[in-house]
Amino acid sequence: MRHQKIALVIMAVLFALAPLAVYPVFIMKVMTFALFACAFNLLIGYGGLLSFGHAMFLGTAGYAAAHSAKVWGFPPELAILFGTGAAALLGVVTGLLAIRRQGIYFAMITLALAQMIYFYYLQVKFTGGEDGIQAVPRGTLFGFIDLSNIWAMYYTVLVIFLGGFLAIYRVIHSPFGQVLKCIRENEPRAISLGYDTTRYKLLAFVISATLAGLAGATKALVFQLASLTDVHWTMSGEVVLMTLLGGLGTIFGPVVGALIIISMENYLAQLGAWVTIVQGVIFVVCVLTFRRGVIGELASFLKKPL
Amino acid sequence: MAEEIILETRALTKEFKGFVAVKDVSLKVRRGTIHALIGPNGAGKTTCFNLLTHFLEPTRGQIFFKGGEITGSAPARIARMGLVRSFQISAVFPHLTVLENVRVALQRKRGASFDFWRSEQVLRRLDEPARELIDAVGLREFEQTVAVELPYGRKRALEIATTLALDPEMMLLDEPTAGMTHEDVGRIEALIKRVSANRTVLMVEHNLSVVSTLSDTITVLQRGEILAEGNYDSVSKNPAVIEAYLGAER
């Protein structure tokens, strides 16, 4: 526990000081994706449920936040809340449909639902179809923090990211998290101890969807854009990749995974389509040689959970 | 009280496609006894357990626990009513410590653990009762060991401790001594004896010495049907049972 707290402080300090050395918009992108991956990891790493449709929560929250900020004139705090709430609601509905199936069937149902959501957003007017919702105003947080100032935006995102990260950390280390881990380890046994495992899995699914939504809503304000990219199935795939690469079922793994993937997309952009191939190769190498992911391997080397 | 029937099945039947695994089994288990279910491989013993705890849906028949029908109740609900099973393949939570394994069962008594906002510090007060149970099954020095690293016999002991943590009125033990070394068998035997003091035990067991020492009543199953029932002496002298076990000439 203590070393996790130390690692957490180091992470917070690194992100707080990072914009001194690196382009802040890039790090904000990393933080939103890191939160997205952490939310996804809560479900697969601690509940043993592979969702292949998590982009629907990221994208839905993005659209809801962007629309409410741009068209309805919501202030940023309410836009983010509204986007997160929309993802939570979608999480309840899709969760109820998907949670009764296990393994690959669960993954397939979440994928199917996400595809339905994707085509819905492609057709309806308010999302702007291929164009997306552009020029979303960042607004003034709580009426006095002007988010068009890059530093104000940066530290707002930092606070949201750390808040979401701590929330996930708490869920993992709660009585609920303890039951969740048991379900991951041995579901029939958890049932035989009297736990209604379906309801625990549903709650985990909704929490995960909600936090993925928080990431999506924040992302829409940072980039002042909500687009189809965020609901596309490749986005669902990308979050799987980030989590696996960083370390499935580790607390810091998804953050590292997001950092690596986003860095590659940013700094290898001139390679064009080759980025996908590089990612594919990294994925294969990861699965073949360091299956536990960067943080997972590090944790087993240090013999401490990270 | 002693003669009261705690668990009863009426004409319990389970058919898989073209195969009857359990056929018309009417079983009565008296409160406070150790009841053994024996029979050759494939006799339907484990299927019976799966039916009792609703891990399988019976084709026909009814199950009553403490006088109420539980035939259609959800598995988790049956467990909460006090009918708790163990599994043939040792069912521990492999990547949790021994203490956590037992504690998660104790945690059930708090009610539903949906409190995801609370720190697990609130579970600390369960550490002490968990330790007592761990002590009772002789795992004290393994308290912080991750369950997957325990030797086989110890895993079974851990599983029994976890089941005991629920303080069930009735325990179903599926081959508690399967695959154990001689001294492990002795330890588990003593343990079952001890924990059966104020509860009912129904167990599937192959080790006849364990069965003869522990059980008050024995039901012999063969090809899904009840072949004989009684105490060890009467059952072991039953010609049909001898034939089923030794395969006398037909």
Side-chain angles (χ1 to χ4, degrees):
Chain A
M1 289 299 157
R2 234 188 92 230
H3 61 274
Q4 284 180 345
K5 281 181 187 139
I6 295 169
L8 178 68
V9 171
I10 293 173
M11 183 182 79
V13 170
L14 281 181
F15 274 115
L17 299 179
L20 297 175
V22 199
Y23 185 46
V25 175
F26 166 72
I27 310 169
M28 286 196 273
K29 189 174 179 187
V30 170
M31 285 192 288
T32 51
F33 275 102
L35 181 56
F36 181 36
C38 286
F40 174 78
N41 181 49
L42 172 65
L43 194 60
I44 187 171
Y46 296 91
L49 291 165
L50 170 61
S51 158
F52 208 77
H54 249 50
M56 64 179 155
F57 306 121
L58 185 79
T60 297
Y63 280 131
H67 184 79
S68 63
K70 190 178 178 182
V71 181
W72 300 339
F74 275 25
E77 66 274 13
L78 280 184
I80 289 176
L81 204 63
F82 181 68
T84 308
L89 193 65
L90 184 65
V92 173
V93 176
T94 52
L96 281 171
L97 289 168
I99 214 78
R100 284 170 198 285
R101 292 288 165 267
Q102 274 147 7
I104 191 75
Y105 301 103
F106 174 79
M108 288 297 114
I109 291 176
T110 49
L111 174 61
L113 290 167
Q115 286 302 91
M116 283 165 58
I117 300 283
Y118 172 80
F119 284 108
Y120 173 73
Y121 288 145
L122 183 61
Q123 299 297 331
V124 290
K125 237 189 210 121
F126 88 92
T127 62
E130 301 278 358
D131 298 334
I133 305 176
Q134 298 185 1
V136 177
R138 280 179 180 172
T140 316
L141 189 68
F142 303 124
F144 68 94
I145 305 170
D146 184 6
L147 293 183
S148 55
N149 176 322
I150 186 83
W151 297 107
M153 189 74 232
Y154 184 86
Y155 287 102
T156 305
V157 174
L158 180 65
V159 166
I160 291 173
F161 165 67
L162 290 176
F165 186 88
L166 286 173
I168 291 167
Y169 181 86
R170 172 45 67 84
V171 171
I172 291 166
H173 295 97
S174 71
F176 169 75
Q178 197 69 25
V179 177
L180 202 58
K181 278 176 235 169
C182 289
I183 296 173
R184 173 194 69 189
E185 298 276 299
N186 190 338
E187 186 167 359
R189 184 54 172 156
I191 294 172
S192 82
L193 293 182
Y195 290 110
D196 281 319
T197 54
T198 314
R199 294 166 63 188
Y200 289 85
K201 289 195 287 187
L202 179 63
L203 182 55
F205 190 83
V206 174
I207 295 172
S208 174
T210 307
L211 289 160
L214 179 61
T218 310
K219 186 170 175 291
L221 288 189
V222 171
F223 294 98
Q224 303 184 279
L225 172 74
S227 74
L228 284 172
T229 320
D230 286 356
V231 262
H232 200 249
W233 66 268
T234 50
M235 184 59 77
S236 298
E238 203 160 290
V239 76
V240 177
L241 183 59
M242 287 174 186
T243 309
L244 279 177
L245 190 60
L248 194 76
T250 62
I251 293 171
F252 295 95
V255 180
V256 173
L259 178 66
I260 295 172
I261 297 288
I262 301 299
S263 306
M264 280 200 312
E265 282 173 5
N266 249 47
Y267 294 106
L268 300 180
Q270 61 268 42
L271 296 179
W274 283 92
V275 174
T276 324
I277 294 173
V278 172
Q279 281 182 356
V281 170
I282 289 183
F283 183 63
V284 170
V285 170
C286 169
V287 170
L288 289 178
T289 60
F290 59 108
R291 211 167 296 173
R292 283 176 284 211
V294 176
I295 294 295
E297 295 293 339
L298 185 66
S300 91
F301 175 72
L302 297 174
K303 294 191 168 49
K304 285 189 168 110
L306 279 172
Chain B
M1 197 67 180
E3 290 303 302
E4 191 201 336
I5 304 296
I6 184 165
L7 181 80
E8 182 181 358
T9 70
R10 290 186 198 153
L12 198 61
T13 302
K14 177 66 187 175
E15 292 170 0
F16 296 104
K17 283 196 180 88
F19 169 70
V20 187
V22 173
K23 190 177 174 190
D24 278 335
V25 170
S26 295
L27 198 66
K28 282 184 177 156
V29 182
R30 279 175 293 127
R31 188 185 283 276
T33 61
I34 300 183
H35 194 128
L37 209 53
I38 64 170
N41 283 326
K45 307 176 297 279
T46 298
T47 309
C48 253
F49 266 32
N50 284 331
L51 292 173
L52 290 175
T53 48
H54 208 230
F55 277 69
L56 280 176
E57 187 85 31
T59 313
R60 274 188 300 282
Q62 291 171 293
I63 306 160
F64 295 87
F65 180 59
K66 292 193 281 183
E69 183 164 359
I70 57 162
T71 318
S73 306
R77 188 175 143 68
I78 292 174
R80 287 198 298 271
M81 288 174 72
L83 178 62
V84 178
R85 68 173 297 175
S86 75
F87 290 81
Q88 196 166 359
I89 307 156
S90 67
V92 294
F93 302 114
H95 296 100
L96 302 185
T97 64
V98 165
L99 184 72
E100 286 173 321
N101 261 274
V102 177
R103 203 175 60 181
V104 80
L106 290 168
Q107 201 182 321
R108 242 278 323 287
K109 279 188 228 156
R110 301 168 68 238
S113 287
F114 291 122
D115 41 355
F116 59 83
W117 56 90
R118 214 170 264 151
S119 159
E120 62 189 347
Q121 298 293 334
V122 298
L123 299 176
R124 283 285 154 82
R125 65 194 166 78
L126 299 175
D127 284 358
E128 217 30 63
R131 277 195 193 103
E132 279 169 30
L133 286 159
I134 291 166
D135 223 12
V137 298
L139 288 178
R140 179 189 286 197
E141 67 266 44
F142 297 101
E143 188 188 298
Q144 291 303 329
T145 308
V146 179
V148 70
E149 287 164 9
L150 290 176
Y152 186 80
R154 303 284 188 178
K155 273 187 200 150
R156 301 243 56 161
L158 171 59
E159 205 203 323
I160 291 177
T162 308
T163 308
L164 279 175
L166 297 174
D167 195 17
E169 277 186 74
M170 179 163 179
M171 284 168 80
L172 303 180
L173 303 176
D174 199 353
E175 301 195 23
T177 68
M180 281 191 179
T181 61
H182 189 69
E183 63 250 51
D184 278 340
V185 169
R187 184 168 34 225
I188 294 296
E189 197 180 280
L191 181 62
I192 295 173
K193 186 86 206 153
R194 189 143 43 92
V195 303
S196 67
N198 38 22
R199 51 174 66 88
T200 316
V201 176
L202 176 64
M203 64 175 181
V204 166
E205 184 53 64
H206 278 298
N207 186 326
L208 287 182
S209 108
V210 174
V211 171
S212 67
T213 331
L214 289 178
S215 6
D216 302 295
T217 315
I218 297 167
T219 300
V220 187
L221 283 181
Q222 193 195 14
R223 297 198 189 98
E225 290 180 88
I226 295 183
L227 188 66
E229 192 170 282
N231 62 21
Y232 186 76
D233 282 338
S234 80
V235 166
S236 63
K237 291 195 181 80
N238 186 317
V241 175
I242 295 169
E243 191 190 314
Y245 264 89
L246 301 176
E249 65 270 48
R250 290 145 205 257

